Amino acid sequence: MRKYFLLLFALVAAIPLFPQIRGNNIVVTVEPDHQDWHYQTGETAKFQVEVRRSGTLLSDVSIDYASGPEMYQTEKKSLVLKDGTLQLRGSMLQPGFWRVDVIAHVDGKDYKGACAAAFSPEKLQPSTVMPQDFSSFWENAIREARTVDLNPTKRLLPERCTKDVDVYEVSFNNSRWGSRTYGILCVPVKEGRYPALLRVPGAGVRPYGGDIYTASQGAVTLEIGIHGIPVTMAQQVYTDLNEGALNGYWEWGMDDRDKSYYKHVILGCIRAIDYIEQYTSWNGKELGVTGSSQGGFLSLATAGLDRRVTFYAPVHAALCDHTNSLRGIACGWPHYFYWNKGKGKEKQIETSRYYDGVNFARLITGQQHGWFSFGYCDDVVPPTTAWSTYNIVTGPKEISPYQMTWHFWYQEQWDEWEAWLLRQMGVKTE
């Protein structure tokens, strides 16, 4: 027995010693000369480019770089850096972001670095126009959807439950009978009334695990999918749909506001709150919505359309300021008019205004508290659109950019995000 325990101890002790793949030995950095990456229009930003191997500058390294306003960089060159360094400059007379991208070519592989300097970002304003019937269009759509009974289903997932949280797969009717929204509902085991949080998804097709952690802190959480299919199937099912039947769904129906794929998606978010109100132990007070990328857009749409939402947190919010590219300025994902400059797309341009996060942000009221976070290096959701969307909100709001992030988040950003959500719900962490 003693030998058994000694062997077990030796195996456990050895686990952390196994090597892991983490990061790259070759690193490309692009560093601005302002610590917060912020400049006033008319100032000049200085960028220090360095390519390092094992923490030391790499000699005679080949690079390509592009420099200029984000998504519209005009200076593009290929160089050999004798000492692994390069100095660049950039300046803007109008509010916006000056971006530098560097790709180093080392031993047949490419290594990327980037920096986007902000020039008076607090003055950025969006380009999209709010249609005169924007509010009435959505009010009518919601009213019509609510003529359909939710007809909910609820299935316990015992393998996901914990001692503190019961976990279910749920579904309910969306905008018409048989068109369903599926999600994972997490409810504290202890009886009581709780604040609630709706989590809305980023783009793509995938299963969902539910927000068990937040529920364990004392909240009802509902994480939904948007495609009208169960969210607990095998991964291969979602992979096949993503590459097949649902590929490029964000482009569907963009020539008609009533046929846009996002119409039933947004209505599904509102019906999800209907479900929370009618079929969960929500306390009727604190109710939030949050998500990243596409989910950031859906957070804005849900908060703008539903006064039951008391707080919202859009992170890296996509689908904002679609028409910015028509004036040669960075536009939000999916960059509808970036490549074609809007030529021959008059119907799509008009439709896009009904599905622009900026116009939903304009509806957010002073009773709703917002937290915005995004990255300055994000080449999917440009910080130009993130800042202009934030600027248009008139209600109480906070902003917390993480300049170095691309289209992802750092652990510190996630921790700040989660802590903010818990504070809004008046929930204390363990």
Side-chain angles (χ1 to χ4, degrees):
M1 184 63 71
R2 181 173 180 272
K3 288 183 179 180
Y4 169 78
F5 281 114
L6 286 174
L7 176 60
L8 180 62
F9 175 78
L11 289 172
V12 172
I15 288 173
L17 300 181
F18 286 116
Q20 297 176 335
I21 296 175
R22 183 176 296 177
N24 291 306
N25 191 38
I26 296 169
V27 177
V28 180
T29 60
V30 186
E31 181 181 345
D33 61 338
H34 284 192
Q35 192 174 43
D36 63 358
W37 299 33
H38 279 213
Y39 300 81
Q40 295 301 310
T41 50
E43 287 188 295
T44 297
K46 300 176 182 178
F47 303 92
Q48 176 73 14
V49 178
E50 296 183 351
V51 183
R52 294 177 178 268
R53 189 205 300 267
S54 300
T56 60
L57 292 171
L58 186 61
S59 302
D60 299 316
V61 59
S62 297
I63 70 159
D64 299 321
Y65 82 81
S67 181
E70 63 172 343
M71 294 184 72
Y72 292 93
Q73 294 157 300
T74 54
E75 183 180 358
K76 300 180 180 181
K77 292 184 178 180
S78 299
L79 300 172
V80 175
L81 307 184
K82 294 298 182 183
D83 63 352
T85 69
L86 175 68
Q87 291 76 43
L88 296 170
R89 294 170 178 261
S91 183
M92 301 188 75
L93 298 179
Q94 299 296 326
F97 281 80
W98 186 277
R99 183 181 174 102
V100 176
D101 284 282
V102 179
I103 301 176
H105 310 288
V106 183
D107 298 331
K109 295 182 179 180
D110 293 341
Y111 300 86
K112 297 174 64 176
C115 176
F119 285 84
S120 302
E122 70 283 352
K123 297 180 181 179
L124 281 165
Q125 291 295 306
S127 66
T128 191
V129 176
M130 176 181 275
Q132 289 187 349
D133 65 346
F134 182 87
S135 294
S136 61
F137 169 75
W138 283 108
E139 288 169 2
N140 291 335
I142 293 169
R143 186 180 305 110
E144 184 176 347
R146 283 179 173 154
T147 62
V148 179
D149 187 86
L150 286 172
N151 188 34
T153 67
K154 184 177 180 182
R155 179 172 68 91
L156 183 69
L157 303 174
E159 69 280 6
R160 300 191 189 186
C161 296
T162 70
K163 65 180 181 61
D164 299 312
V165 178
D166 287 330
V167 183
Y168 306 87
E169 182 177 35
V170 301
S171 76
F172 42 87
N173 279 325
N174 186 326
S175 56
R176 57 182 174 78
W177 192 269
S179 172
R180 302 189 71 78
T181 295
Y182 288 80
I184 302 296
L185 175 69
C186 300
V187 183
V189 170
K190 184 179 179 180
E191 287 194 19
R193 309 299 291 182
Y194 295 96
L197 178 66
L198 174 65
R199 285 194 177 272
V200 285
V205 191
R206 64 183 70 84
Y208 294 98
D211 186 356
I212 298 172
Y213 171 75
T214 302
S216 73
Q217 304 304 300
V220 171
T221 66
L222 176 59
E223 182 178 35
I224 62 170
I226 63 170
H227 300 300
I229 55 177
V231 293
T232 56
M233 298 184 291
Q235 176 60 51
Q236 190 60 45
V237 175
Y238 305 101
T239 300
D240 291 344
L241 286 169
N242 191 60
E243 297 302 320
L246 290 173
N247 186 259
Y249 65 84
W250 48 83
E251 300 274 359
W252 296 354
M254 282 303 294
D255 57 350
D256 187 329
R257 66 180 185 177
D258 284 310
K259 295 180 180 179
S260 168
Y261 192 84
Y262 280 113
K263 184 177 181 181
H264 89 269
V265 172
I266 292 170
L267 291 174
C269 296
I270 303 302
R271 302 308 313 269
I273 296 181
D274 290 346
Y275 176 87
I276 289 173
E277 181 179 43
Q278 297 176 37
Y279 293 100
T280 76
S281 52
W282 174 44
N283 64 13
K285 300 176 183 177
E286 302 91 356
L287 192 153
V289 58
T290 191
S292 67
S293 193
Q294 175 188 262
F297 158 72
L298 294 176
S299 299
L300 292 168
T302 307
L305 294 175
D306 200 314
R307 295 296 167 260
R308 291 171 295 184
V309 173
T310 59
F311 64 96
Y312 62 102
V315 177
H316 306 284
L319 289 113
C320 289
D321 219 1
H322 301 301
T323 56
N324 232 12
S325 55
L326 303 183
R327 56 177 184 168
I329 300 175
C331 59
W333 181 90
H335 317 300
Y336 286 127
F337 312 115
Y338 177 67
W339 304 107
N340 55 45
K341 312 300 182 187
K343 294 180 180 178
K345 299 290 182 178
E346 289 77 14
K347 290 183 178 179
Q348 290 85 349
I349 290 171
E350 181 60 28
T351 297
S352 77
R353 296 187 173 112
Y354 292 89
Y355 299 93
D356 196 309
V358 168
N359 285 334
F360 291 106
R362 285 172 166 142
L363 298 180
I364 292 172
T365 71
Q367 286 71 48
Q368 299 168 297
H369 193 175
W371 185 80
F372 293 71
S373 190
F374 46 88
Y376 284 8
C377 289
D378 195 336
D379 55 355
V380 177
V381 173
T384 292
T385 65
W387 259 104
S388 61
T389 303
Y390 172 81
N391 290 340
I392 208 71
V393 173
T394 58
K397 57 187 178 180
E398 302 174 40
I399 189 168
S400 183
Y402 279 71
Q403 288 87 341
M404 275 291 291
T405 56
W406 292 55
H407 201 56
F408 58 80
W409 53 78
Y410 286 121
Q411 184 64 52
E412 295 88 344
Q413 186 179 14
W414 173 270
D415 292 343
E416 183 183 351
W417 181 7
E418 179 68 18
W420 187 86
L421 294 170
L422 293 175
R423 285 198 304 272
Q424 300 312 304
M425 292 185 284
V427 173
K428 294 182 179 179
T429 58
E430 295 175 346

